[in-house]
Amino acid sequence: MNDAYDVIVIGGGTGGYPAAIRAAQLGMTVACVEQRATLGGTCLNVGCIPSKALLHSSEVLTETQEGLAQHGIAATGVSFDLSKMLARKEKVVADLTKGVAYLFKKNKVDWIQGSARFETASRLSIVSEAGSVRVVEARKAVIIATGSEVATIPGVVIDEQRIVSSTGALSLSKVPKKLVVIGGGYIGLELGSVWRRLGADVTVIEFLDRIVPGMDGQIAKQLHRMLEQQGIEFRLQRRVTSAEATQDGVRLAIEPAAGGEPESLEADVILVAVGRKPFTASLGIEAIGLELDAKGRIPVGQGFKTNVAGVFAVGDVIPGPMLAHKSTLDGVTCAEGLAGRYAGVDYARVPGVIYTSPEVATVGQTQEELDAAGIAYKQGMFPFTANSRARCNGDTRGMVKILADARTDALLGVHIIGPDAGTMISEAVLAMEFGGSSEDLALVVHPHPTLSESLKEAALVLQGKGMHI
Ligand code: NAI
């Protein structure tokens, strides 16, 4: 181990580890400081990956219980073992985090396990879990990739037992009879779906008058309806004012968002999923005069430069969508910049996916955003009920919605709710990256019969040439 590197990355998550690997590939000597016992950050350890493992397991269960009959397949006596399901999830996580450690070795990135603190802009002291201190110097750059932490609400203290964040909700040792989810966003809907499918009564309390704020309103309405059909109850325009652990559960007080009569709710477990906030505590940023904005994020300029020379920041600690693939984009681009290459990013075409059943996937602007910006657009929609493959598969839920500039036909936004939406959205992202129009999408030959034909069909509808509806 050295005591000086060209680049030191703080944080081994989806922003930090790609930054470290790319910088090493570009010829720099690199260390990555990570305090967890495994690499991969929130996404791999307690976020995207374990949640998708559980989402998939619980979907397999529901499909076996409810989806097989339509195919003439009888499955009786279906049951599940939660501890095995959780163990499988842990194995998926362990394998992937080990994979990152292997990639570090392969690319000669030194992983320094411990917690980093700035002594100067280029010198870090790193405290290991055992308490030993090591000082390392960065010759060229320090990249802060420390991610985000769970946002909390006053009056609700997370204990990860009965009042849990997403971390605790990924490891509940038994299925709660009643789960109350605070927040109808990405985490609330995904993890609420998992526990609903495993048998919990789930109620989602959302402050606003709709779920998934920021998603296209029409798509969000469909998702709301579909999740209700799956048995999730929604209480919109409600705020939680307190939550206290009782003998055998949690008692919550909620009231209308606009104020009014409070109401009491009982639950076995409550999940707090009201967003995440940038994590910069314990870095000692005051020692180097690093500026934060009003939301606690680190503002960056071209090439991810902070206000301190030689210090860069990427991922959830900087402005932009808090998504794993966005932080990877940041990390890799930042490393490219350090090697003197182009280091610009454009978040306008970063897709978002909610891994509910069905999935919701989106890229570009929503109808509401276009209306608010006064941009004239045309729209084309195509429901999966009219898609032959969806019919073969026996799942015709959802639709594709395409928004294109009324004057130039440039694609402005594509929103999909339906099976495999998260995979299908990449076609729209690619089209938009290439400056594509709805006419382009309509002209592209799609294999038949596939779900992705619905993208072409929605584009045809937009063009006034719809054929299958
Ligand atoms: P979120 O920002 O997606 O949703 C939070 C929800 O809570 C919003 O609907 C908000 O209106 C509501 N809310 C806020 N305060 C409230 C209160 N006091 N009472 C009731 N409702 C309240 O945040 P979430 O779901 O916690 O996710 C955190 C971050 O992780 C997000 O930035 C998300 O993008 C990311 N994430 C992404 C996933 C994906 O890409 N599939 C999966 C999970 C998380």
Side-chain angles (χ1 to χ4, degrees):
M1 287 263 177
N2 307 327
D3 49 16
Y5 294 86
D6 293 335
V7 178
I8 301 175
V9 182
I10 309 176
T14 49
Y17 88 72
I21 291 176
R22 191 69 195 120
Q25 288 174 342
L26 289 165
M28 293 169 254
T29 58
V30 185
C32 179
V33 188
E34 168 58 57
Q35 58 192 10
R36 268 199 180 89
T38 48
L39 294 166
T42 301
C43 174
L44 257 74
N45 288 283
V46 287
C48 334
I49 297 302
S51 63
K52 260 83 267 176
L54 288 184
L55 278 158
H56 187 70
S57 293
S58 61
E59 269 181 54
V60 171
L61 176 70
T62 305
E63 181 64 13
T64 313
Q65 287 169 329
E66 298 166 12
L68 296 186
Q70 65 163 321
H71 301 285
I73 304 169
T76 49
V78 178
S79 65
F80 70 97
D81 180 332
L82 180 61
S83 61
K84 283 190 183 153
M85 208 179 265
L86 295 177
R88 174 189 171 275
K89 170 211 69 169
E90 291 302 330
K91 170 139 184 8
V92 172
V93 169
D95 288 349
L96 286 171
T97 56
K98 275 185 218 142
V100 180
Y102 161 76
L103 293 175
F104 269 14
K105 280 213 177 83
K106 184 180 162 200
N107 288 284
K108 301 192 173 44
V109 173
D110 280 349
W111 168 17
I112 305 176
Q113 208 179 324
S115 168
R117 196 178 174 83
F118 282 100
E119 285 192 358
T120 68
S122 62
R123 191 177 317 124
L124 298 167
S125 62
I126 300 164
V127 183
S128 75
E129 212 183 6
S132 64
V133 182
R134 193 177 146 190
V135 176
V136 284
E137 188 82 28
R139 285 185 283 258
K140 197 176 179 81
V142 175
I143 303 176
I144 301 173
T146 43
S148 57
E149 60 180 341
V150 171
T152 50
I153 32 182
V156 181
V157 181
I158 292 172
D159 60 20
E160 297 297 10
Q161 299 294 324
R162 286 190 207 149
I163 303 179
V164 299
S165 71
S166 50
T167 304
L170 289 164
S171 296
L172 298 178
S173 57
K174 63 177 197 201
V175 178
K177 267 212 221 58
K178 172 91 197 169
L179 172 69
V180 168
V181 177
I182 312 177
Y186 281 63
I187 292 179
L189 301 185
E190 289 184 2
L191 291 178
S193 293
V194 165
W195 294 106
R196 172 70 202 118
R197 291 201 280 258
L198 297 182
D201 271 342
V202 176
T203 301
V204 175
I205 315 275
E206 167 58 50
F207 183 74
L208 300 174
D209 61 357
R210 54 163 288 177
I211 59 169
V212 281
M215 279 275 169
D216 188 273
Q218 193 179 4
I219 300 278
K221 258 197 197 123
Q222 287 209 10
L223 178 64
H224 184 151
R225 190 169 40 78
M226 290 180 204
L227 292 174
E228 266 180 348
Q229 281 163 358
Q230 292 166 30
I232 296 181
E233 187 195 346
F234 288 93
R235 305 288 306 272
L236 301 182
Q237 292 178 287
R238 292 285 185 286
R239 119 179 46 235
V240 174
T241 51
S242 69
E244 71 181 282
T246 61
Q247 194 75 23
D248 43 11
V250 189
R251 187 174 305 118
L252 289 136
I254 64 170
E255 63 178 39
E261 271 309 290
E263 192 185 328
S264 180
L265 281 184
E266 304 278 335
D268 300 294
V269 174
I270 68 171
L271 162 60
V272 181
V274 294
R276 297 183 63 86
K277 55 182 186 195
F279 180 66
T280 51
S282 83
L283 272 178
I285 53 171
E286 34 321 301
I288 56 166
L290 187 77
E291 275 168 14
L292 299 182
D293 70 11
K295 292 184 173 166
R297 304 172 299 191
I298 304 174
V300 291
Q302 181 71 19
F304 301 91
K305 290 189 179 99
T306 68
N307 70 308
V308 179
V311 178
F312 300 74
V314 299
D316 279 8
V317 279
I318 70 168
M322 284 182 159
L323 297 170
H325 42 279
K326 176 268 185 187
S327 49
T328 300
L329 168 73
D330 288 356
V332 169
T333 313
C334 179
E336 298 268 334
L338 294 177
R341 299 184 178 197
Y342 178 70
V345 286
D346 180 2
Y347 298 142
R349 287 177 294 277
V350 171
V353 180
I354 311 177
Y355 297 90
T356 41
S357 174
E359 293 177 353
V360 178
T362 173
V363 61
Q365 288 166 291
T366 63
Q367 193 169 350
E368 291 75 19
E369 284 168 346
L370 294 174
D371 286 338
I375 298 170
Y377 58 88
K378 293 179 290 182
Q379 56 176 310
M381 280 176 274
F382 192 78
F384 285 106
T385 44
N387 175 282
S388 55
R389 184 61 182 275
R391 292 217 170 225
C392 297
N393 293 352
D395 188 352
T396 55
R397 296 171 298 168
M399 66 170 195
V400 175
K401 172 173 179 176
I402 296 181
L403 302 162
D405 192 293
R407 199 170 48 83
T408 65
D409 194 37
L411 291 166
L412 298 174
V414 177
H415 310 281
I416 311 174
I417 178 167
D420 270 336
T423 303
M424 282 190 282
I425 199 70
S426 291
E427 178 183 346
V429 179
L430 187 69
M432 289 173 75
E433 276 294 333
F434 282 14
S437 61
S438 79
E439 186 183 25
D440 292 327
L441 265 188
L443 286 171
V444 169
V445 179
H446 288 68
H448 178 73
T450 55
L451 296 176
S452 68
E453 282 176 290
S454 299
L455 273 156
K456 177 191 173 88
E457 292 284 350
L460 281 168
V461 170
L462 192 151
Q463 297 276 312
K465 299 177 192 165
M467 201 174 285
H468 292 96
I469 45 167

Short mmCIF file of all heavy atoms in Angstrom, two decimals, residues 47-48 51-52 148 150-154 181-190 205-208 210-213 238-240 272-276 316 321-325 351-355, ligand 1:
data_model
loop_
_atom_site.label_atom_id
_atom_site.label_comp_id
_atom_site.label_asym_id
_atom_site.label_seq_id
_atom_site.Cartn_x
_atom_site.Cartn_y
_atom_site.Cartn_z
N GLY A 47 -29.73 -1.44 -1.28
CA GLY A 47 -30.60 -0.65 -2.14
C GLY A 47 -31.09 -1.41 -3.33
O GLY A 47 -31.76 -2.44 -3.21
N CYS A 48 -30.69 -0.93 -4.52
CA CYS A 48 -31.18 -1.49 -5.80
C CYS A 48 -31.14 -3.00 -5.84
O CYS A 48 -32.11 -3.65 -6.23
CB CYS A 48 -30.35 -0.99 -6.97
SG CYS A 48 -29.50 0.56 -6.78
N SER A 51 -33.20 -5.11 -3.13
CA SER A 51 -34.64 -4.87 -3.35
C SER A 51 -35.10 -5.59 -4.62
O SER A 51 -36.19 -6.17 -4.65
CB SER A 51 -34.96 -3.37 -3.41
OG SER A 51 -34.32 -2.76 -4.50
N LYS A 52 -34.26 -5.58 -5.66
CA LYS A 52 -34.68 -6.27 -6.89
C LYS A 52 -34.70 -7.78 -6.69
O LYS A 52 -35.54 -8.48 -7.26
CB LYS A 52 -33.76 -5.92 -8.06
CG LYS A 52 -34.35 -4.87 -8.98
CD LYS A 52 -34.15 -3.46 -8.51
CE LYS A 52 -35.23 -2.85 -7.69
NZ LYS A 52 -34.89 -1.50 -7.19
N SER A 148 -25.67 9.16 -0.30
CA SER A 148 -26.76 9.81 0.43
C SER A 148 -27.20 8.92 1.59
O SER A 148 -26.85 7.74 1.66
CB SER A 148 -27.94 10.04 -0.52
OG SER A 148 -28.35 8.81 -1.10
N VAL A 150 -30.69 8.19 4.44
CA VAL A 150 -32.15 8.26 4.53
C VAL A 150 -32.59 9.58 5.15
O VAL A 150 -32.02 10.00 6.16
CB VAL A 150 -32.65 7.08 5.40
CG1 VAL A 150 -34.12 7.21 5.71
CG2 VAL A 150 -32.34 5.76 4.72
N ALA A 151 -33.57 10.22 4.54
CA ALA A 151 -34.16 11.43 5.14
C ALA A 151 -35.16 10.98 6.19
O ALA A 151 -35.83 9.97 6.03
CB ALA A 151 -34.84 12.26 4.06
N THR A 152 -35.25 11.73 7.26
CA THR A 152 -36.18 11.34 8.33
C THR A 152 -37.26 12.42 8.48
O THR A 152 -37.17 13.48 7.86
CB THR A 152 -35.44 11.17 9.66
OG1 THR A 152 -34.63 12.33 9.87
CG2 THR A 152 -34.55 9.95 9.64
N ILE A 153 -38.26 12.11 9.31
CA ILE A 153 -39.27 13.14 9.58
C ILE A 153 -39.36 13.36 11.09
O ILE A 153 -39.17 12.42 11.85
CB ILE A 153 -40.67 12.78 9.01
CG1 ILE A 153 -40.91 11.29 9.02
CG2 ILE A 153 -40.89 13.35 7.65
CD1 ILE A 153 -42.24 10.89 8.43
N PRO A 154 -39.61 14.62 11.46
CA PRO A 154 -39.66 14.91 12.89
C PRO A 154 -40.72 14.04 13.57
O PRO A 154 -41.80 13.82 13.01
CB PRO A 154 -40.07 16.40 12.96
CG PRO A 154 -39.94 16.93 11.57
CD PRO A 154 -39.93 15.78 10.63
N VAL A 181 -46.40 2.44 5.13
CA VAL A 181 -45.28 3.04 4.41
C VAL A 181 -45.49 4.55 4.38
O VAL A 181 -46.56 5.00 3.97
CB VAL A 181 -45.22 2.50 2.96
CG1 VAL A 181 -44.10 3.18 2.19
CG2 VAL A 181 -45.05 0.99 2.94
N ILE A 182 -44.50 5.30 4.82
CA ILE A 182 -44.61 6.76 4.73
C ILE A 182 -43.84 7.19 3.49
O ILE A 182 -42.62 7.04 3.42
CB ILE A 182 -44.04 7.46 5.97
CG1 ILE A 182 -44.59 6.82 7.25
CG2 ILE A 182 -44.37 8.95 5.93
CD1 ILE A 182 -44.01 7.42 8.52
N GLY A 183 -44.56 7.71 2.50
CA GLY A 183 -43.93 8.15 1.25
C GLY A 183 -44.30 7.26 0.08
O GLY A 183 -43.98 6.07 0.08
N GLY A 184 -44.97 7.84 -0.90
CA GLY A 184 -45.38 7.08 -2.09
C GLY A 184 -44.43 7.31 -3.24
O GLY A 184 -44.83 7.61 -4.36
N GLY A 185 -43.11 7.18 -2.97
CA GLY A 185 -42.10 7.33 -4.01
C GLY A 185 -41.54 5.98 -4.42
O GLY A 185 -42.16 4.94 -4.21
N TYR A 186 -40.33 6.01 -4.98
CA TYR A 186 -39.69 4.79 -5.50
C TYR A 186 -39.61 3.70 -4.43
O TYR A 186 -40.03 2.56 -4.65
CB TYR A 186 -38.26 5.10 -5.95
CG TYR A 186 -38.13 5.76 -7.31
CD1 TYR A 186 -38.66 7.02 -7.56
CD2 TYR A 186 -37.44 5.13 -8.33
CE1 TYR A 186 -38.49 7.62 -8.80
CE2 TYR A 186 -37.27 5.72 -9.57
CZ TYR A 186 -37.80 6.97 -9.80
OH TYR A 186 -37.64 7.55 -11.02
N ILE A 187 -39.01 4.03 -3.29
CA ILE A 187 -38.76 3.01 -2.27
C ILE A 187 -40.07 2.50 -1.67
O ILE A 187 -40.29 1.30 -1.53
CB ILE A 187 -37.84 3.57 -1.16
CG1 ILE A 187 -36.44 3.81 -1.73
CG2 ILE A 187 -37.78 2.61 0.05
CD1 ILE A 187 -35.44 4.38 -0.75
N GLY A 188 -40.96 3.45 -1.34
CA GLY A 188 -42.22 3.06 -0.71
C GLY A 188 -43.01 2.09 -1.57
O GLY A 188 -43.56 1.09 -1.08
N LEU A 189 -43.05 2.36 -2.88
CA LEU A 189 -43.87 1.52 -3.77
C LEU A 189 -43.19 0.18 -4.05
O LEU A 189 -43.86 -0.85 -4.12
CB LEU A 189 -44.18 2.26 -5.07
CG LEU A 189 -44.95 3.58 -4.88
CD1 LEU A 189 -45.31 4.18 -6.23
CD2 LEU A 189 -46.21 3.40 -4.03
N GLU A 190 -41.87 0.20 -4.20
CA GLU A 190 -41.18 -1.08 -4.47
C GLU A 190 -41.23 -1.98 -3.24
O GLU A 190 -41.65 -3.15 -3.33
CB GLU A 190 -39.72 -0.82 -4.88
CG GLU A 190 -39.60 -0.20 -6.27
CD GLU A 190 -38.15 -0.02 -6.73
OE1 GLU A 190 -37.23 -0.41 -5.98
OE2 GLU A 190 -37.96 0.51 -7.84
N ILE A 205 -48.88 6.16 3.08
CA ILE A 205 -49.28 7.52 3.44
C ILE A 205 -48.44 8.48 2.59
O ILE A 205 -47.21 8.45 2.68
CB ILE A 205 -48.96 7.84 4.92
CG1 ILE A 205 -49.36 6.69 5.85
CG2 ILE A 205 -49.51 9.19 5.35
CD1 ILE A 205 -50.75 6.67 6.28
N GLU A 206 -49.08 9.30 1.80
CA GLU A 206 -48.34 10.22 0.92
C GLU A 206 -48.80 11.65 1.19
O GLU A 206 -49.99 11.93 1.25
CB GLU A 206 -48.56 9.83 -0.55
CG GLU A 206 -48.14 10.84 -1.60
CD GLU A 206 -46.66 11.25 -1.53
OE1 GLU A 206 -45.79 10.37 -1.49
OE2 GLU A 206 -46.40 12.48 -1.52
N PHE A 207 -47.82 12.52 1.31
CA PHE A 207 -48.09 13.92 1.64
C PHE A 207 -48.83 14.65 0.51
O PHE A 207 -49.74 15.43 0.73
CB PHE A 207 -46.75 14.61 1.92
CG PHE A 207 -46.87 16.04 2.33
CD1 PHE A 207 -47.32 16.37 3.59
CD2 PHE A 207 -46.54 17.06 1.45
CE1 PHE A 207 -47.45 17.69 3.98
CE2 PHE A 207 -46.66 18.38 1.82
CZ PHE A 207 -47.12 18.70 3.10
N LEU A 208 -48.44 14.36 -0.72
CA LEU A 208 -49.01 15.06 -1.87
C LEU A 208 -50.34 14.44 -2.31
O LEU A 208 -50.77 13.43 -1.75
CB LEU A 208 -48.02 15.07 -3.03
CG LEU A 208 -46.68 15.75 -2.74
CD1 LEU A 208 -45.72 15.57 -3.90
CD2 LEU A 208 -46.89 17.23 -2.44
N ARG A 210 -50.86 12.90 -5.04
CA ARG A 210 -50.58 11.87 -6.04
C ARG A 210 -49.33 11.10 -5.60
O ARG A 210 -48.55 11.61 -4.79
CB ARG A 210 -50.32 12.50 -7.40
CG ARG A 210 -49.23 13.57 -7.37
CD ARG A 210 -48.69 13.91 -8.71
NE ARG A 210 -47.87 12.82 -9.23
CZ ARG A 210 -47.31 12.82 -10.43
NH1 ARG A 210 -47.51 13.84 -11.23
NH2 ARG A 210 -46.58 11.81 -10.84
N ILE A 211 -49.16 9.91 -6.17
CA ILE A 211 -47.93 9.18 -5.87
C ILE A 211 -46.85 9.53 -6.90
O ILE A 211 -47.14 10.21 -7.90
CB ILE A 211 -48.17 7.64 -5.82
CG1 ILE A 211 -48.72 7.12 -7.15
CG2 ILE A 211 -49.10 7.30 -4.66
CD1 ILE A 211 -48.74 5.59 -7.26
N VAL A 212 -45.64 9.06 -6.66
CA VAL A 212 -44.47 9.33 -7.50
C VAL A 212 -44.45 10.72 -8.17
O VAL A 212 -44.52 10.84 -9.39
CB VAL A 212 -44.24 8.24 -8.57
CG1 VAL A 212 -43.57 7.05 -7.94
CG2 VAL A 212 -45.48 7.81 -9.30
N PRO A 213 -44.33 11.75 -7.33
CA PRO A 213 -44.24 13.10 -7.90
C PRO A 213 -43.05 13.15 -8.85
O PRO A 213 -42.03 12.53 -8.60
CB PRO A 213 -43.99 13.99 -6.67
CG PRO A 213 -43.62 13.08 -5.55
CD PRO A 213 -44.18 11.74 -5.87
N ARG A 238 -51.79 13.26 3.28
CA ARG A 238 -51.73 13.02 4.71
C ARG A 238 -50.29 13.19 5.19
O ARG A 238 -49.35 12.85 4.47
CB ARG A 238 -52.16 11.58 5.06
CG ARG A 238 -53.61 11.29 4.79
CD ARG A 238 -54.48 11.94 5.87
NE ARG A 238 -55.90 11.60 5.73
CZ ARG A 238 -56.70 12.09 4.79
NH1 ARG A 238 -56.24 12.94 3.91
NH2 ARG A 238 -57.98 11.74 4.77
N ARG A 239 -50.14 13.70 6.38
CA ARG A 239 -48.80 13.83 6.95
C ARG A 239 -48.75 13.04 8.26
O ARG A 239 -49.75 12.99 8.99
CB ARG A 239 -48.48 15.31 7.11
CG ARG A 239 -48.22 15.72 8.49
CD ARG A 239 -47.86 17.14 8.83
NE ARG A 239 -48.66 18.19 8.22
CZ ARG A 239 -48.12 19.16 7.50
NH1 ARG A 239 -46.83 19.17 7.25
NH2 ARG A 239 -48.89 20.12 7.01
N VAL A 240 -47.61 12.43 8.50
CA VAL A 240 -47.43 11.70 9.75
C VAL A 240 -46.84 12.68 10.76
O VAL A 240 -45.83 13.32 10.48
CB VAL A 240 -46.47 10.51 9.53
CG1 VAL A 240 -46.15 9.83 10.85
CG2 VAL A 240 -47.06 9.53 8.54
N VAL A 272 -40.15 4.20 6.64
CA VAL A 272 -40.00 5.62 6.33
C VAL A 272 -39.28 5.73 4.99
O VAL A 272 -38.12 5.33 4.86
CB VAL A 272 -39.19 6.34 7.44
CG1 VAL A 272 -39.06 7.82 7.13
CG2 VAL A 272 -39.84 6.13 8.80
N ALA A 273 -39.98 6.25 3.99
CA ALA A 273 -39.40 6.35 2.63
C ALA A 273 -39.76 7.70 2.05
O ALA A 273 -40.50 7.80 1.07
CB ALA A 273 -39.91 5.21 1.76
N VAL A 274 -39.26 8.75 2.71
CA VAL A 274 -39.61 10.10 2.29
C VAL A 274 -38.45 10.80 1.57
O VAL A 274 -38.38 12.02 1.52
CB VAL A 274 -40.08 10.96 3.50
CG1 VAL A 274 -41.38 10.42 4.06
CG2 VAL A 274 -39.00 11.03 4.59
N GLY A 275 -37.55 10.02 1.02
CA GLY A 275 -36.46 10.59 0.25
C GLY A 275 -35.12 10.33 0.91
O GLY A 275 -35.02 9.68 1.95
N ARG A 276 -34.07 10.80 0.25
CA ARG A 276 -32.71 10.65 0.78
C ARG A 276 -32.02 12.00 0.74
O ARG A 276 -32.42 12.89 -0.01
CB ARG A 276 -31.93 9.62 -0.06
CG ARG A 276 -32.53 8.23 0.00
CD ARG A 276 -31.70 7.23 -0.79
NE ARG A 276 -30.37 7.07 -0.25
CZ ARG A 276 -30.04 6.22 0.74
NH1 ARG A 276 -30.96 5.46 1.29
NH2 ARG A 276 -28.79 6.13 1.17
N ASP A 316 -24.80 10.98 -5.61
CA ASP A 316 -25.89 11.52 -4.80
C ASP A 316 -25.50 12.76 -3.98
O ASP A 316 -26.39 13.48 -3.53
CB ASP A 316 -26.41 10.45 -3.82
CG ASP A 316 -27.38 9.47 -4.47
OD1 ASP A 316 -27.54 9.52 -5.71
OD2 ASP A 316 -27.98 8.65 -3.74
N PRO A 321 -30.57 13.76 -10.39
CA PRO A 321 -31.37 12.65 -9.88
C PRO A 321 -30.53 11.68 -9.03
O PRO A 321 -29.39 11.39 -9.37
CB PRO A 321 -31.87 11.94 -11.16
CG PRO A 321 -31.06 12.49 -12.28
CD PRO A 321 -30.50 13.81 -11.85
N MET A 322 -31.12 11.23 -7.92
CA MET A 322 -30.39 10.30 -7.02
C MET A 322 -30.60 8.88 -7.52
O MET A 322 -31.41 8.13 -6.97
CB MET A 322 -30.88 10.45 -5.60
CG MET A 322 -30.37 11.69 -4.91
SD MET A 322 -30.95 11.75 -3.23
CE MET A 322 -29.78 12.87 -2.49
N LEU A 323 -29.89 8.54 -8.58
CA LEU A 323 -30.05 7.22 -9.20
C LEU A 323 -28.67 6.62 -9.42
O LEU A 323 -27.72 7.34 -9.75
CB LEU A 323 -30.78 7.35 -10.54
CG LEU A 323 -32.21 7.89 -10.48
CD1 LEU A 323 -32.73 8.21 -11.87
CD2 LEU A 323 -33.14 6.92 -9.77
N ALA A 324 -28.58 5.29 -9.28
CA ALA A 324 -27.29 4.61 -9.39
C ALA A 324 -26.62 4.87 -10.74
O ALA A 324 -25.42 5.19 -10.81
CB ALA A 324 -27.48 3.11 -9.19
N HIS A 325 -27.41 4.74 -11.82
CA HIS A 325 -26.80 4.89 -13.15
C HIS A 325 -26.36 6.32 -13.42
O HIS A 325 -25.43 6.56 -14.17
CB HIS A 325 -27.73 4.38 -14.26
CG HIS A 325 -29.17 4.75 -14.09
ND1 HIS A 325 -30.02 4.08 -13.26
CD2 HIS A 325 -29.91 5.73 -14.64
CE1 HIS A 325 -31.22 4.62 -13.32
NE2 HIS A 325 -31.18 5.64 -14.15
N PRO A 351 -32.69 7.90 -17.67
CA PRO A 351 -33.99 7.25 -17.44
C PRO A 351 -34.23 6.94 -15.97
O PRO A 351 -33.28 6.85 -15.19
CB PRO A 351 -33.85 5.94 -18.24
CG PRO A 351 -32.38 5.67 -18.30
CD PRO A 351 -31.69 7.00 -18.26
N GLY A 352 -35.49 6.79 -15.61
CA GLY A 352 -35.85 6.36 -14.25
C GLY A 352 -36.78 5.16 -14.36
O GLY A 352 -37.62 5.11 -15.26
N VAL A 353 -36.61 4.21 -13.45
CA VAL A 353 -37.47 3.02 -13.48
C VAL A 353 -37.97 2.72 -12.08
O VAL A 353 -37.19 2.73 -11.13
CB VAL A 353 -36.70 1.78 -14.00
CG1 VAL A 353 -37.60 0.55 -14.03
CG2 VAL A 353 -36.11 2.03 -15.39
N ILE A 354 -39.26 2.45 -11.95
CA ILE A 354 -39.79 1.93 -10.68
C ILE A 354 -40.09 0.46 -10.93
O ILE A 354 -40.86 0.12 -11.83
CB ILE A 354 -41.08 2.65 -10.25
CG1 ILE A 354 -40.93 4.17 -10.34
CG2 ILE A 354 -41.46 2.26 -8.83
CD1 ILE A 354 -42.20 4.91 -9.98
N TYR A 355 -39.47 -0.39 -10.10
CA TYR A 355 -39.57 -1.83 -10.35
C TYR A 355 -40.76 -2.46 -9.65
O TYR A 355 -40.64 -3.47 -8.96
CB TYR A 355 -38.25 -2.50 -9.96
CG TYR A 355 -37.11 -2.02 -10.83
CD1 TYR A 355 -36.36 -0.91 -10.45
CD2 TYR A 355 -36.82 -2.63 -12.04
CE1 TYR A 355 -35.33 -0.43 -11.26
CE2 TYR A 355 -35.80 -2.16 -12.85
CZ TYR A 355 -35.05 -1.07 -12.45
OH TYR A 355 -34.04 -0.59 -13.26
P1 NAI B 1 -38.82 9.64 -3.33
O1 NAI B 1 -38.32 11.03 -3.43
O2 NAI B 1 -38.89 8.78 -4.53
O3 NAI B 1 -40.28 9.64 -2.69
C1 NAI B 1 -40.56 10.20 -1.43
C2 NAI B 1 -42.06 10.39 -1.32
O4 NAI B 1 -42.36 10.74 0.02
C3 NAI B 1 -42.60 11.52 -2.19
O5 NAI B 1 -43.73 11.05 -2.87
C4 NAI B 1 -42.92 12.61 -1.18
O6 NAI B 1 -43.99 13.43 -1.60
C5 NAI B 1 -43.29 11.80 0.03
N1 NAI B 1 -43.14 12.47 1.32
C6 NAI B 1 -42.14 13.32 1.68
N2 NAI B 1 -42.32 13.69 2.97
C7 NAI B 1 -43.43 13.07 3.43
C8 NAI B 1 -44.12 13.03 4.67
N3 NAI B 1 -43.67 13.71 5.73
N4 NAI B 1 -45.24 12.28 4.79
C9 NAI B 1 -45.69 11.57 3.70
N5 NAI B 1 -45.08 11.56 2.51
C10 NAI B 1 -43.96 12.29 2.36
O7 NAI B 1 -37.91 8.98 -2.17
P2 NAI B 1 -37.68 7.47 -1.75
O8 NAI B 1 -38.78 6.60 -2.25
O9 NAI B 1 -37.40 7.51 -0.30
O10 NAI B 1 -36.35 7.11 -2.51
C11 NAI B 1 -35.14 7.78 -2.17
C12 NAI B 1 -34.25 7.93 -3.37
O11 NAI B 1 -33.81 6.68 -3.82
C13 NAI B 1 -34.97 8.61 -4.50
O12 NAI B 1 -34.17 9.67 -4.94
C14 NAI B 1 -35.09 7.55 -5.57
O13 NAI B 1 -34.86 8.11 -6.83
C15 NAI B 1 -34.00 6.55 -5.21
N6 NAI B 1 -34.47 5.22 -5.50
C16 NAI B 1 -34.50 4.80 -6.79
C17 NAI B 1 -34.97 3.55 -7.10
C18 NAI B 1 -35.01 3.14 -8.53
O14 NAI B 1 -34.37 3.76 -9.35
N7 NAI B 1 -35.77 2.10 -8.86
C19 NAI B 1 -35.45 2.63 -6.08
C20 NAI B 1 -35.40 3.18 -4.76
C21 NAI B 1 -34.90 4.42 -4.51
#
